[in-house]
Structures are given as structure tokens and as C-alpha cells.
Amino acid sequence: MRVIERLKGQIERLENQIKLVKHTTTTTTNITQEEDLMTQALKGVNESLINLEEILRKALNTTMFMKTRYNKKLKHGVTLLENAITTMAMGLSYQKATKAHEQVLQLGLLSGYALEQQTAVMNEAQKMAYQADAHYFGHGVKQNKSAALRLYMAAAKAGDIRAAYLVGKMCIEDEALAMTMLENVKNPITYGLNALRQACDGNHVEALHYTALLYDDPPSIAIPRNEKEAIKLLFRAAKANHIPSMICFALKLIYGQGVQNATTYAMKWLEKAVAMGSAEAANELGVLLYRGYADVKASPTQAVRLFEQASTDIPAALHHLGIAAEEGSGMPQSIEKAMMYYEKAMNANYAPAIVSLGYLYLVTNQVDRGMQLLAKGASENQPRAYLYMANCFEKGLVGDVNRLQAIDYLEKAVALDDSLVEAYTSLGHLHFALEAYDQAATAYMKAAALHSLESANALGILYEDGLGVTQSLEQARHYFELAFPLVDAYYNAAVVCEALSDVDAAKSYYAKA
């Protein structure tokens, strides 16, 4: 009986600790204070659990524990113990979920158990979904994703839209797991899409956003690409104040992807997301305003304020602040300050900042350190790292001029980013210097197609002289005119027009040269 008395006393102390956990999770508003109180409460719970474990170990060594099946008082004591431990697990799950907040958001799941006051108002479908959460994360039970999917499916069939969303997500992202659970379904992708439609019909914002991204960039050929449907879903989620959808919808409007370009309208969505506290929206709005775009006028000063607002959470914003300091746009020019911002962004694992910092080391004559950083950037597949290293070899900044090495780096740069116009232009110049005119023409054509005036002018020279291409004064004139308003292009066009007996055009171009 002494064991039972000790057990009752320990249960009573444990229940007091649980009350403290509940009080902390429901009444405290200050986050820091809440964390401190939770730490104290959970420490007490942990100590109580250690004592309980010792008591139960002793109880297991006696026959009295077996008699709990027949002794009402003992059975009541064990029931109290089970209830206390279950309630304690609920409180512990809150702390686990807080620490795993980023992981939870990324997976789009709500982890852990609901607190007692929440479960009281849940229907059966919601309770199944929360039990599935426990199996998914291994909170209070052994982690078992198959069991989680089974419970989510049951909850979805019972009408829980969150469970339907998670069924869809799990089927699409883990087909092998889904196949083991869906014996009569040949295509888990189709099953997953149907589940997502159920969640979307219930206006579950995460499902709307997730399904929109699937239609916009399908991860499987089993999912049809449908930009218009993606836009509709994003718009529905954005109207429900889902911040990631608001940002994504705004970017679609800015770049006219699946919808007509409407930059001013996009700004309103970004501004709304910024007002709701989104650092990502502040960064995107800053990018839009820094140089201006379409009908949005440039406002570097306002952009810098937005970058500063976002810089605590978004490493890219630190990089943009570095660009502003380097260019002296929106803030006083300062290479030192630019390097400081780039280094902070680099330390936050933002790879483009490695390249920007390496470039500034080069221009400040710290070539060795610059090349070290550029090599690091290249190892992270940053195309501009290869571009800047190529420039160093082309200009002989790291020993003798080595055009072949420069060409190799430039080819790696365009393989990573086929829109890197500077790399194509440099390739053209290097091939031209090596008298590989056909390769020079190919590189210049790609750069000219990306609106490089310098390359268009160079291509005109190749056509004028028949180097690497079939000689054609008409084609030469075409490319020289594409290169306007370069002064050299006006002069070259005038010479060609003169050869073509177009005197008036020649006079006009000579006047502008």
C-alpha cells in the first residue's frame, strides 16, 4: 500500500505541474516570458516523470500491479496516472511544436496533440486528424507515416478538409508510401489530386496554394500544367489573406505569367502582405521599386527602407542592401558598407552574396581573397562566379593572360544561366581574338538576342567583312541599327549605307556618330 500512496502523491504533484503548463500555454502573452515559464513547468514535469518511472518500476516488481485489473481503487489510480500522462503529453507537444516551428511550416502540418480545451470542441474527423499528426511526427507514439496516412484518409472521408489536404500532399510527394496504402488505386497522384480538390472546395488556403504550385510547375507528368487554374487558386488563397499566395500572385501579375501584366495591381498585394508583417513581401516590393519595372517608377530610397525591414529574416535583402551601398543608390555609396552587407548575407548562406563579395575584393585589388570567394561561389553553381573568374584570366589578373581558361569558365557560366548576356558577349570577344570567327558569331548572336548592343555591333562587323558568316551588307546594316544608340554603331551603319548607295541614311547616321 505504501507504493500506492506514493503513486497517488506523485500523481497529485504531476497534476499541479500540468496545470502550470496549461496556464502557461493559455494565459501568457509575452513570448519570452512564455518560453521561460514553459521551461520551468516542463522541468517540473520532467522531474515528476523520473520519480513516476521509479515508482512504476518498483510496482512492476510486485503482484499488486497485476491486481489493478480487479481492485477498483488501484484501477482508479492507474486511470488517473494514464490521464495525467496523456494531458502532460499534450503540453509537451506544444513545446515540441514551438521548437520545430520552421519544420512544421515547411511540411504544412500541424504537429502534436491539441490541448484539452481544444479537443473538447473537436468532431470525430478532427480528432482522427490530430491523432494522425501524432503518428506523423512521432509525438507520444512511435513515428509511423503509414498509420498517419491511414488516419488522414479516414478523417478526409469523414469531411475534414485539412486531412484531405495532407492526404493529397503525402500521395503526391511520397508515391511509394501511398501505393502501400491504396491497394485498389493504381495512380496515387490522381488520388492525391482528388483529395486536394476536396480541400480546395472547402477553401483550405494551404491546399489552394499547394495545388496552384502543382499546376504551375508539375513535379510529375501525371499532373497537367494549367497556368490559368493556378492563377485562380492563388487568387482565392490571396483573398483569404494567405501571405505566400499573395506574394506568388503578385509576382505572376508583375511578370505576366498566366495572367495579363498588371504591375500596379501587384504592388497593392505586396503592400498588403508587408502591412501584415511579411518580410518576404517587403523584399519583393523593394526589388520592384529599386530599379522600377513597367509602370512602376524607381524609388531606391523606399526600396532600401523595405530591404532594411526585411533584412532580419531574408538574406537576399541583405544582399540587395549591399548592391545599394555599392551603387550609391538609395543610400550613400560605400564599398566598405557594401562588403559588410554582402558578408552578412554570405554568412546567412545566401550564395549570390559570395560572388558579390568576391567581386568587390577583386576591384579593391585583393585578388587572392577575391578568387577564393569566387571559387567558392562556383562550387555552389553561381554562374557569375565563373564570369568574374573568366574576366581575371582574360585580363591576366592571376598570372599570364589565359584566353582558353577564360573561355572554359564562360561556357560553364552560360551552361548554368543561358540568359547571362555578359558571358556570351565575352565569349564572342575571346573567340574573335583567337580568330575563331564562326564561334564568335554564334556567341554574339546569342548575346544580341538578349539585347546586347555591343554584341549586335560586333555581329554587324562580322557580316560586313564576311568573318565566320556569309558576307552581307544588308545583314551588317541590320545589326548595326540594332546596336543604336552606340556611337560606333552609327558610324558603322553610315559606312555600310554608303556602300549600299543609301546616301540619305548615311548622312543621317554620320551626323549622329
Side-chain angles (χ1 to χ4, degrees):
M1 292 302 294
R2 285 195 299 272
V3 173
I4 299 303
E5 291 301 320
R6 289 178 61 194
L7 185 59
K8 287 182 178 178
Q10 193 60 42
I11 289 171
E12 188 175 335
R13 285 190 290 275
L14 180 57
E15 287 177 334
N16 289 334
Q17 295 291 346
I18 298 303
K19 289 177 182 178
L20 177 58
V21 173
K22 287 183 178 181
H23 174 76
T24 304
T25 59
T26 57
T27 63
T28 309
T29 56
N30 182 276
I31 293 176
T32 304
Q33 184 182 2
E34 179 179 338
E35 289 177 349
D36 290 342
L37 289 172
M38 277 296 297
T39 301
Q40 295 174 25
L42 290 170
K43 182 179 179 182
V45 170
N46 188 54
E47 292 173 354
S48 297
L49 275 177
I50 292 171
N51 292 332
L52 272 174
E53 184 182 9
E54 177 65 19
I55 293 169
L56 288 175
R57 187 182 65 77
K58 291 179 180 179
L60 285 171
N61 292 330
T62 69
T63 58
M64 293 183 65
F65 191 77
M66 296 297 296
K67 292 179 181 179
T68 57
R69 294 181 59 187
Y70 311 104
N71 186 304
K72 290 184 177 179
K73 289 185 178 180
L74 289 174
K75 189 172 183 179
H76 178 67
V78 172
T79 301
L80 287 175
L81 175 62
E82 289 175 346
N83 290 340
I85 291 175
T86 300
T87 308
M88 176 207 63
M90 295 175 185
L92 286 172
S93 290
Y94 171 84
Q95 179 70 0
K96 286 182 179 180
T98 301
K99 290 182 178 179
H101 185 59
E102 291 183 2
Q103 177 189 8
V104 172
L105 289 179
Q106 182 180 358
L107 292 171
L109 300 172
L110 296 173
S111 70
Y113 300 98
L115 293 175
E116 190 174 32
Q117 61 267 32
Q118 293 174 311
T119 56
V121 296
M122 283 184 182
N123 59 36
E124 289 304 314
Q126 290 171 325
K127 288 179 181 178
M128 278 192 287
Y130 274 102
Q131 184 62 32
D133 295 340
H135 283 287
Y136 190 96
F137 286 101
H139 285 181
V141 294
K142 185 178 180 180
Q143 187 179 43
N144 187 333
K145 291 187 178 181
S146 295
L149 180 55
R150 187 183 300 112
L151 284 164
Y152 283 136
M153 290 167 62
K157 286 181 179 178
D160 188 84
I161 59 171
R162 183 179 75 89
Y165 159 57
L166 296 173
V167 168
K169 190 170 185 180
M170 291 179 75
C171 285
I172 286 168
E173 295 182 2
D174 195 341
E175 290 185 59
L177 172 65
M179 287 293 288
T180 63
M181 302 299 301
L182 306 172
E183 297 176 0
N184 299 321
V185 177
K186 293 182 179 180
N187 190 343
I189 296 292
T190 301
Y191 190 94
L193 285 175
N194 289 334
L196 287 171
R197 289 190 190 100
Q198 176 190 344
C200 289
D201 289 343
N203 289 319
H204 188 281
V205 291
E206 292 290 346
L208 290 167
H209 183 76
Y210 182 76
T211 310
L213 298 185
L214 288 179
Y215 282 132
D216 186 56
D217 186 16
S220 166
I221 59 173
I223 302 174
R225 191 164 191 267
N226 191 333
E227 279 189 321
K228 289 185 177 179
E229 185 62 22
I231 291 295
K232 289 178 182 178
L233 294 171
L234 284 173
F235 182 56
R236 285 172 59 189
K239 285 196 300 181
N241 292 332
H242 184 249
I243 289 176
S245 294
M246 293 163 69
I247 296 169
C248 194
F249 181 61
L251 294 176
K252 294 289 184 185
L253 291 169
I254 291 168
Y255 300 111
Q257 297 172 342
V259 66
Q260 187 176 356
N261 179 280
T263 315
T264 303
Y265 183 46
M267 277 189 66
K268 292 180 180 179
W269 283 106
L270 290 175
E271 288 167 350
K272 183 177 180 182
V274 171
M276 292 173 66
S278 170
E280 184 182 356
N283 181 63
E284 293 293 351
L285 186 56
V287 170
L288 187 62
L289 289 169
Y290 185 71
R291 301 193 192 281
Y293 187 84
D295 54 345
V296 176
K297 292 182 179 180
S299 179
T301 303
Q302 186 180 354
V304 165
R305 285 199 296 267
L306 287 163
F307 292 144
E308 288 172 343
Q309 182 178 335
S311 62
T312 304
D313 301 312
I314 308 294
L318 287 166
H319 186 241
H320 292 134
L321 285 170
I323 293 171
E326 182 182 348
E327 296 178 349
S329 182
M331 67 167 67
Q333 187 174 33
S334 170
I335 297 299
E336 183 179 349
K337 204 167 188 178
M339 294 177 80
M340 180 267 290
Y341 283 125
Y342 289 149
E343 189 159 6
K344 284 185 177 181
M346 179 181 70
N347 292 337
N349 298 317
Y350 188 68
I354 302 171
V355 181
S356 296
L357 184 59
Y359 175 76
L360 285 189
Y361 273 111
L362 289 180
V363 300
T364 53
N365 296 319
Q366 300 176 70
V367 177
D368 290 343
R369 177 57 176 156
M371 289 297 289
Q372 286 175 1
L373 288 169
L374 292 177
K376 182 180 178 182
S379 71
E380 297 195 23
N381 294 323
Q382 293 298 304
R384 286 192 173 275
Y386 285 113
L387 172 65
Y388 296 146
M389 287 195 295
N391 290 342
C392 289
F393 280 98
E394 181 185 0
K395 296 173 182 176
L397 297 179
V398 285
D400 295 333
V401 171
N402 189 335
R403 293 191 178 99
L404 294 178
Q405 181 63 70
I407 287 172
D408 178 61
Y409 281 143
L410 289 170
E411 288 176 345
K412 288 178 178 177
V414 296
L416 290 168
D417 182 0
D418 61 3
S419 66
L420 195 57
V421 62
E422 303 101 306
Y424 284 121
T425 301
S426 294
L427 270 173
H429 293 339
L430 286 166
H431 284 306
F432 188 92
L434 293 171
E435 298 184 359
Y437 299 121
D438 54 340
Q439 294 180 63
T442 299
Y444 285 142
M445 283 180 182
K446 289 181 178 178
L450 294 169
H451 311 294
S452 168
L453 303 184
E454 184 181 355
S455 292
N457 185 61
L459 198 54
I461 293 171
L462 293 182
Y463 273 105
E464 182 182 5
D465 296 335
L467 299 173
V469 293
T470 302
Q471 188 176 30
S472 171
L473 294 181
E474 288 79 7
Q475 280 289 84
R477 176 178 179 174
H478 167 71
Y479 282 108
F480 287 141
E481 289 174 344
L482 278 182
F484 293 165
L486 290 182
V487 173
D488 286 349
Y490 280 120
Y491 180 82
N492 292 334
V495 172
V496 168
C497 286
E498 202 169 37
L500 290 169
S501 301
D502 190 343
V503 179
D504 291 339
K507 286 181 179 179
S508 174
Y509 293 151
Y510 275 130
K512 294 178 180 178

